[in-house]
């Protein structure tokens, strides 16, 4: 694959390259107001969904092609470049006809090789940069497959967007980040432009700043952040959209290090990711404990079951040994979570006695 990491050589070489704009183009006024505010901040690329892949029918599915004319106005009035999601060859054709500067393939499409190949065929012979979002599932081969289909169609300015993976037990994040998969992708396909989408990853306004910083620490090249002039009134993804003012604060607070010690940041991010999983697992365990507490209460069973605890400890020590964990550590850890479980169940008992 012959790739060019710099998507727009004519733009100043700043890091991160920011792509911002609403989840969906809704009205001409919303598009122009948001784009004007963003261009005043110096954001070079304006994003907006024109055709929206929604989980359920009946939700707002985008304004369709008429939004493309609003994006041309953004180019004319602000000088910004524009970016949209394309999911079909017809979308590609319409986007190219309206001179959209950057196309991205959404997470749902990049899960589907038929769709990706059709988009790739429509792109043949056109020199437009393309970003491939990660598929919904954490499948590196599938993601690389979508990237390869683009490269085989002749796309040279090619990048990826990490927007997190869908999981059944969603707790902290709307879509679980998996930085290690990106590291592997970076190793296998070195010249890709790496972009992070903290909006769909976090799913909430509060998580955009920490996830953006994490992406910078992982040496990503760009950020795609959903920004809306009135986020509370947005027709899609309102809980994760921020105002241009908030975007400006977040960007100013970002620390972009000259990553020479990339190795350490990457290892730390991996530890942070595992710690996050640990907390989520502990929270799930406590939920089940509380259910057990309710069951014991209803069936008049004593909370402390000494035999059960002994068996559980024994099994955990055996498993720990197989996983090469120190037995004193496993013992202390199991005891700690067991005590917390006991405390939770006691709370339930007390509540019921009222
Ligand atoms: C989007 O960027 O608006 C979008 C729909 O993203 P994703 O494909 O990551 O869900
Ligand atoms: Mn969105």
């Amino acid at each position: 694959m012959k790739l060019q990491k710099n998507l727009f050589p004519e733009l100043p070489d700043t890091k991160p390259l920011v792509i911002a704009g609403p989840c969906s183009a809704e009205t001409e006024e919303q598009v122009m107001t948001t784009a004007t505010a963003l261009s005043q901040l110096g954001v070079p690329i304006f994003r907006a969904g024109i055709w929206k892949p929604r989980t359920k029918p009946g939700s707002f599915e985008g304004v369709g092609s008429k939004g493309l004319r609003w994006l041309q106005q953004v180019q004319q009035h602000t000088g910004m470049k524009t970016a949209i999601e394309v999911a079909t060859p017809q979308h590609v054709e319409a986007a190219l006809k309206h001179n959209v500067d950057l196309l991205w393939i959404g997470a749902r499409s990049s899960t589907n090789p038929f769709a990706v190949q059709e988009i790739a065929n429509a792109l043949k012979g056109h020199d437009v940069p393309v970003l491939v979002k990660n598929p919904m599932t954490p499948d590196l081969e599938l993601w690389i497959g979508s990237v390869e289909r683009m490269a085989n169609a002749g796309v040279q300015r090619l990048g990826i967007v990490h927007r997190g993976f869908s999981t059944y037990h969603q707790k902290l994040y709307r879509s679980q980040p998996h930085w290690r998969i990106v590291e592997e992708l970076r190793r296998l396909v070195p010249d890709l432009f790496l972009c992070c989408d903290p909006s769909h990853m976090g799913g909430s306004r509060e998580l955009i700043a920490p996830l953006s910083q994490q992406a910078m620490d992982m040496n990503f090249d760009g950020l795609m952040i959903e920004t809306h002039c009135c986020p509370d009134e947005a027709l899609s993804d309102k809980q994760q959209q921020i105002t241009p003012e908030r975007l400006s604060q977040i960007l100013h607070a970002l620390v972009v290090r000259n990553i020479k010690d990339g190795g350490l940041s990457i290892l730390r991010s991996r530890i942070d990711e595992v710690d996050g999983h640990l907390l989520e697992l502990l929270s799930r365990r406590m939920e089940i404990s509380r259910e057990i507490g309710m069951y014991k209460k209803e069936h008049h069973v004593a909370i402390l079951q000494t035999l059960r605890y002994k068996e559980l400890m024994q099994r955990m020590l055996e498993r720990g040994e197989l996983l090469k964990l120190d037995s004193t550590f496993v013992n202390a850890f199991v005891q700690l979570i067991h005590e917390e479980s006991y405390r939770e169940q006691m709370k339930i008992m007390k509540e019921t006695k009222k």
Side-chain angles (χ1 to χ4, degrees):
M1 280 189 241
K2 186 171 161 288
L3 301 179
Q4 179 187 323
K5 196 179 178 79
N6 193 347
L7 299 183
F8 296 107
E10 66 274 28
L11 289 178
D13 190 13
T14 43
K15 193 170 157 177
L17 181 70
V18 180
I19 305 168
C23 177
S24 308
E26 297 166 4
T27 63
E28 184 177 336
E29 198 195 343
Q30 168 245 11
V31 165
M32 292 313 293
T33 310
T34 310
T36 307
L38 289 172
S39 89
Q40 281 162 3
L41 298 178
V43 171
I45 306 172
F46 182 76
R47 66 148 277 157
I50 298 288
W51 303 280
K52 298 304 298 179
R54 305 308 303 277
T55 304
K56 298 239 175 79
S59 317
F60 175 64
E61 291 186 326
V63 289
S65 330
K66 73 172 180 217
L68 294 169
R69 287 198 298 277
W70 305 339
L71 293 185
Q72 286 187 298
Q73 283 187 42
V74 169
Q75 289 167 327
Q76 282 152 15
H77 290 275
T78 69
M80 291 173 92
K81 300 204 179 285
T82 55
I84 65 165
E85 170 176 352
V86 288
T88 67
Q90 292 74 28
H91 292 169
V92 174
E93 201 185 314
L96 294 173
K97 204 167 111 201
H98 289 83
N99 296 317
V100 176
D101 299 286
L102 169 68
L103 308 180
W104 83 81
I105 298 184
R108 289 153 196 83
S109 305
S110 69
T111 307
N112 176 355
F114 288 133
V116 175
Q117 191 55 53
E118 284 191 2
I119 297 168
N121 293 345
L123 282 165
K124 272 184 196 152
H126 298 282
D127 179 26
V128 64
V130 177
L131 300 178
V132 181
K133 285 196 165 196
N134 65 249
M136 298 300 281
T137 47
D139 184 336
L140 177 60
E141 288 300 304
L142 190 60
W143 197 359
I144 291 185
S146 297
V147 167
E148 272 175 13
R149 285 177 203 277
M150 291 302 129
N152 292 346
V155 176
Q156 288 190 354
R157 290 178 290 160
L158 187 54
I160 56 96
V161 183
H162 187 24
R163 49 81 76 206
F165 298 100
S166 199
T167 55
Y168 184 64
H169 283 285
Q170 272 135 349
K171 278 273 154 82
L172 183 55
Y173 302 114
R174 177 179 177 192
S175 302
Q176 187 67 41
H178 218 315
W179 307 106
R180 204 171 165 190
I181 291 190
V182 180
E183 277 317 301
E184 192 57 10
L185 181 57
R186 188 205 300 262
R187 193 180 64 77
L188 295 169
V189 193
D191 286 325
L192 284 172
F193 174 85
L194 299 188
C195 187
C196 177
D197 169 352
S199 310
H200 290 91
M201 191 177 266
S204 74
R205 293 172 194 166
E206 300 70 46
L207 288 171
I208 292 176
L211 285 170
S212 300
Q213 185 59 54
Q214 202 163 358
M216 287 302 99
D217 294 345
M218 297 290 290
N219 212 8
F220 274 60
D221 305 297
L223 293 171
M224 184 190 274
I225 301 183
E226 285 191 341
T227 312
H228 191 294
C229 53
C230 310
D232 288 333
E233 284 157 35
L235 297 182
S236 57
D237 285 350
K238 70 165 127 184
Q239 66 292 351
Q240 70 194 32
Q241 299 210 58
I242 54 173
T243 59
E245 292 72 33
R246 178 69 192 128
L247 178 74
S248 166
Q249 291 166 354
I250 291 175
L251 295 177
H252 278 103
L254 272 187
V255 182
V256 184
R257 298 183 181 91
N258 183 8
I259 308 275
K260 288 245 164 51
D261 69 335
L264 186 57
S265 311
I266 290 165
L267 287 171
R268 283 186 176 147
S269 288
R270 277 169 57 187
I271 281 275
D272 289 349
E273 189 173 319
V274 172
D275 285 351
H277 285 310
L278 270 177
L279 283 184
E280 280 174 19
L281 283 174
L282 283 172
S283 145
R284 252 156 72 191
R285 192 186 193 287
M286 286 308 153
E287 258 168 42
I288 301 173
S289 269
R290 282 190 285 274
E291 275 181 46
I292 292 182
M294 299 293 282
Y295 183 94
K296 286 180 179 166
K297 173 206 79 185
E298 275 164 27
H299 295 82
H300 307 290
V301 179
I303 296 183
L304 190 59
Q305 307 269 314
T306 319
L307 190 62
R308 157 84 185 143
Y309 176 60
K310 273 192 186 151
E311 279 170 11
L312 182 146
M313 177 63 89
Q314 188 54 36
R315 205 175 42 247
M316 290 296 270
L317 285 169
E318 283 164 14
R319 281 194 195 178
E321 202 181 327
L322 287 176
L323 294 167
K324 299 194 168 45
L325 289 168
D326 179 80
S327 63
T328 317
F329 168 67
V330 173
N331 198 313
F333 181 69
V334 172
Q335 201 173 331
L336 203 61
I337 50 179
H338 186 261
E339 275 166 20
E340 180 62 8
S341 225
Y342 180 78
R343 214 177 50 79
E344 285 288 336
Q345 294 190 12
M346 281 302 285
K347 262 204 293 201
I348 287 171
M349 284 294 170
K350 279 188 192 145
E351 275 165 20
T352 57
K353 278 189 187 150
K354 274 182 207 153

